[in-house]
Amino acid sequence: MQITILAPPVWQPVLQAAAAELPASVAALLPVLVDYLHDRHAGITPRMAGRLARALLQDGGPPPIGTRRGGLIDWSRVIDKLARGALPDAEPQGGRDRRRSPATVVAPAIPFVLLDRVVLPLLLAAQKRIDRCCLFGGDGHALMPDGESFLADYEGALEAAMSDLTMGIGGPPAFFWQHRGIDAAALSRGLGAGAAGRGLSEADPETVALLTRLEPVLGPMQVQRTRAQQLRRSDMQSGGVRPREGGVTGIRMSRSMDDLNDMLVSEYTNEPLMMLDRLVNSGFMVRHRPPFQQNRRDVLLVGAMPLGARDTAARLAKVAWIDMVARLAPLLQGGGLRLSDFIWLDGDRMGGLAHGAASLPQALSLPHSANLTPEERLRFVWALDWLPGLLDRRRAYPPGLEPPVGEGDDAVETLRAGARWAAGALARMPAGAGRDNEAGRLDLKDYGFVHVMLMLPRPAAGLDSGEARSAIMMAGQTLRLMTGRRQSASILWVPQRVADLDGWALSFEVGPLRHLADNLPPPGAPVSDGDPAAGGVDMHRLAGGLIGLWLTHLQEAIFGG
């Protein structure tokens, strides 16, 4: 690449002329942008930087000078392309109002993010394309005789290359706009910026790729079951006699017909006339039970990966869990369980924690779809305000949170360490804005149904059904789950490689160890090109089998069959 450094007498007049065409507030940003980018060997020209400053600040002035017809870069088009990458339009030809989209990119809120993660790589790619780079130097550099015309020629070539890149002509792949767009849109909403002193959030690119491309294939029985479940109400919301909770604490007198089921057997020994008098006037003796449990919330689903989504198999399990939640959420809404929450916990070997918590939207009805597309799944994630926490690569290191250091051949030690970490992570979760309890922390007793889904590395020595059941009991005890209050756990054993089908297995509190290889949907036409990292395995069918097992279990547990 040809690199040319211009002396100040060449570039300073051009910079001053470009600043004179801008409002004062925008002109103040111009030299800052030039210095920042040139220090990183990205040779933006003053006029390009002026239009960039106007787009970043959205000063409300006339539209940028650049147009497609003139071959000039339109930075507002770049920002809009990021928003469309973060959340594709629901209607073709831009029929959806981007201002009402949950994935809107607000440039003035995140100028550094756009500059560092979008503008800089685009400029470097454009320079590589034209094989030229022009930088502004300080005093001491030789004065180029035709420097002004050289800079104008360089600007025209760079503008044309940048315009082609942003219009998709030999530019970065669509994934660039998806990944950077998700980051920009999430940070535009003030979510995750500087959280816990960890800097700006950044979504894990491999997980984003799976989230936006994976198309799980469910078996026909699971699709039929999901469609039949849409009109069914949960047992937690069904009418009729409410179940008694707790034990008998004594005997009391009552005249309520609701207590007839608890009337003592000795009452039936009275003469008919006396019994009638006791039913109508004096009252009858009943077993005294504690009050009904009044749940503040309905359902809590927790996905916990103590060692984090660090390889393809773990990332596939994470995206399959997100897909399962997206399919289950409309059923919870339709079953009257609108006060439901979802939590994802990501860890690492050092005891780090990244989490994403979301609640079912109260004012938005989620559409039922047996065949969920990647776009619908991504739209669901945005609808629940689940970003950036759900995909964030950063970790916080809360004091006192033990690292999940039990990985190895010993399944018991692996499980104990993972469950201990998950219990500590849950204890540090806030109750959530607008529904805080007195302690301000998440309390499992607030929920009518709780299910914690641990995802642990498969032990090299393997597992049998007996060990799996023991593992579930141990996990429930470590997590302090109360089975009498509809609190349970399950374990997904994840192999090191996606292609190791025999290594994928699920442990539930009831029943034998479920091997994923025995529960895959029937093979059909390929959905899309296979992923080389999957070792030739159809990841869409694999994810569909895993989602089907999870959905079947949760539908039976929540909705009663």
Side-chain angles (χ1 to χ4, degrees):
M1 179 183 295
Q2 178 187 352
I3 300 177
T4 305
I5 301 179
L6 299 180
V10 176
W11 60 264
Q12 280 181 346
V14 181
L15 182 66
Q16 294 168 359
E21 299 175 358
L22 301 172
S25 59
V26 181
L29 182 60
L30 177 59
V32 177
L33 294 179
V34 171
D35 289 345
Y36 180 86
L37 292 170
H38 279 250
D39 285 346
R40 286 153 182 79
H41 293 181
I44 194 171
T45 63
R47 278 183 284 269
M48 290 177 66
R51 295 198 304 277
L52 174 60
R54 175 166 284 177
L56 290 178
L57 295 179
Q58 292 182 348
D59 66 320
I65 303 171
T67 61
R68 254 189 304 173
R69 186 176 58 186
L72 304 181
I73 177 65
D74 186 349
W75 295 108
S76 61
R77 186 179 296 276
V78 173
I79 295 172
D80 186 64
K81 194 166 184 176
L82 285 172
R84 295 180 187 278
L87 183 59
D89 282 336
E91 302 174 16
Q93 306 302 324
R96 182 163 54 90
D97 186 355
R98 300 296 314 175
R99 294 172 299 177
R100 304 177 66 179
S101 168
T104 301
V105 177
V106 184
I110 52 165
F112 174 77
V113 174
L114 295 177
L115 193 63
D116 189 65
R117 301 185 186 179
V118 181
V119 176
L120 179 59
L122 286 176
L123 279 170
L124 295 176
Q127 288 179 166
K128 185 176 181 180
R129 184 168 184 154
I130 64 175
D131 201 30
R132 296 164 64 187
C133 175
C134 183
L135 301 177
F136 297 166
D139 295 332
H141 289 280
L143 183 65
M144 181 181 294
D146 56 345
E148 195 168 330
S149 61
F150 177 88
L151 180 58
D153 178 67
Y154 167 77
E155 182 178 51
L158 186 65
E159 288 268 18
M162 283 288 292
S163 181
D164 288 346
L165 290 177
T166 56
M167 291 303 297
I169 305 175
F175 178 69
F176 173 85
W177 304 103
Q178 293 170 344
H179 182 214
R180 301 305 184 188
I182 286 175
D183 281 344
L187 288 168
S188 292
R189 306 171 75 183
L191 304 173
R198 292 175 288 159
L200 296 172
S201 65
E202 182 179 4
D204 178 62
E206 290 84 358
T207 307
V208 171
L210 277 175
L211 184 68
T212 55
R213 299 174 186 175
L214 188 68
E215 300 181 53
V217 179
L218 271 64
M221 293 299 294
Q222 180 59 50
V223 173
Q224 182 179 358
R225 180 187 182 89
T226 301
R227 287 172 176 164
Q229 194 74 60
Q230 294 175 6
L231 300 178
R232 181 169 183 172
R233 294 178 65 80
S234 166
D235 288 348
M236 297 164 58
Q237 297 289 330
S238 58
V241 179
R242 297 185 63 180
R244 297 290 187 173
E245 297 173 353
V248 176
T249 60
I251 298 174
R252 62 182 177 88
M253 297 294 293
S254 173
R255 288 186 293 181
S256 173
M257 294 298 104
D258 292 338
D259 291 326
L260 285 176
N261 289 336
D262 269 334
M263 189 167 61
L264 298 184
V265 176
S266 60
E267 290 288 345
Y268 292 98
T269 63
N270 293 316
E271 295 293 334
L273 189 59
M274 183 179 295
M275 187 173 182
L276 178 62
D277 176 69
R278 293 176 70 83
L279 290 172
V280 176
N281 299 314
S282 60
F284 48 92
M285 290 188 294
V286 299
R287 290 180 291 271
H288 179 55
R289 298 178 183 269
F292 294 131
Q293 172 68 30
Q294 300 293 330
N295 299 315
R296 298 185 181 185
R297 309 289 295 171
D298 292 324
V299 173
L300 173 65
L301 294 183
V302 180
M305 192 169 282
L307 292 175
R310 54 183 181 163
D311 52 37
T312 303
R315 291 186 178 99
L316 177 63
K318 178 176 181 177
V319 174
W321 185 85
I322 297 171
D323 189 282
M324 180 274 301
V325 172
R327 296 172 191 268
L328 184 65
L331 303 181
L332 295 177
Q333 277 192 338
L337 304 176
R338 291 182 171 270
L339 300 179
S340 297
D341 301 319
F342 314 105
I343 296 176
W344 175 262
L345 303 173
D346 241 325
D348 62 21
R349 288 178 172 275
M350 303 300 294
L353 172 63
H355 62 81
S359 302
L360 274 180
Q362 299 300 305
L364 176 65
S365 295
L366 300 172
H368 295 279
S369 178
N371 299 313
L372 196 71
T373 66
E375 291 78 14
E376 291 170 335
R377 181 172 59 232
L378 187 58
R379 194 166 291 113
F380 167 80
V381 170
W382 279 112
L384 266 64
D385 286 342
W386 219 345
L387 296 174
L390 183 65
L391 305 176
D392 201 351
R393 304 175 65 177
R394 302 171 303 166
R395 297 289 186 272
Y397 293 89
L401 183 60
E402 296 185 36
V405 292
E407 185 181 14
D409 294 344
D410 189 350
V412 174
E413 194 56 38
T414 298
L415 170 68
R416 184 180 287 115
R420 218 169 25 231
W421 176 89
L426 279 176
R428 288 163 173 77
M429 288 295 296
R435 56 177 192 278
D436 294 337
N437 53 29
E438 295 178 358
R441 292 291 179 183
L442 182 74
D443 190 349
L444 301 186
K445 294 193 295 293
D446 289 343
Y447 293 87
F449 178 87
V450 176
H451 190 69
V452 180
M453 308 159 83
L454 285 170
M455 302 174 200
L456 301 172
R458 175 70 179 257
L463 285 168
D464 58 31
S465 292
E467 291 175 324
R469 281 193 293 271
S470 300
I472 285 291
M473 294 178 60
M474 185 186 303
Q477 293 170 359
T478 306
L479 291 164
R480 301 181 182 89
L481 301 178
M482 295 179 287
T483 56
R485 299 192 59 165
R486 302 187 72 181
Q487 298 179 3
S488 59
S490 63
I491 303 173
L492 170 65
W493 302 100
V494 183
Q496 291 185 353
R497 298 182 303 109
V498 177
D500 184 10
L501 290 181
D502 294 332
W504 293 90
L506 267 167
S507 304
F508 295 110
E509 68 273 15
V510 178
L513 185 68
R514 306 292 297 274
H515 293 278
L516 186 56
D518 301 330
N519 294 272
L520 291 178
V527 179
S528 61
D529 295 336
D531 187 346
V537 174
D538 189 343
M539 296 177 67
H540 309 285
R541 287 182 61 238
L542 196 153
L546 180 56
I547 293 167
L549 286 174
W550 272 333
L551 278 178
T552 299
H553 175 79
L554 289 174
Q555 285 176 303
E556 291 177 353
I558 297 174
F559 297 97

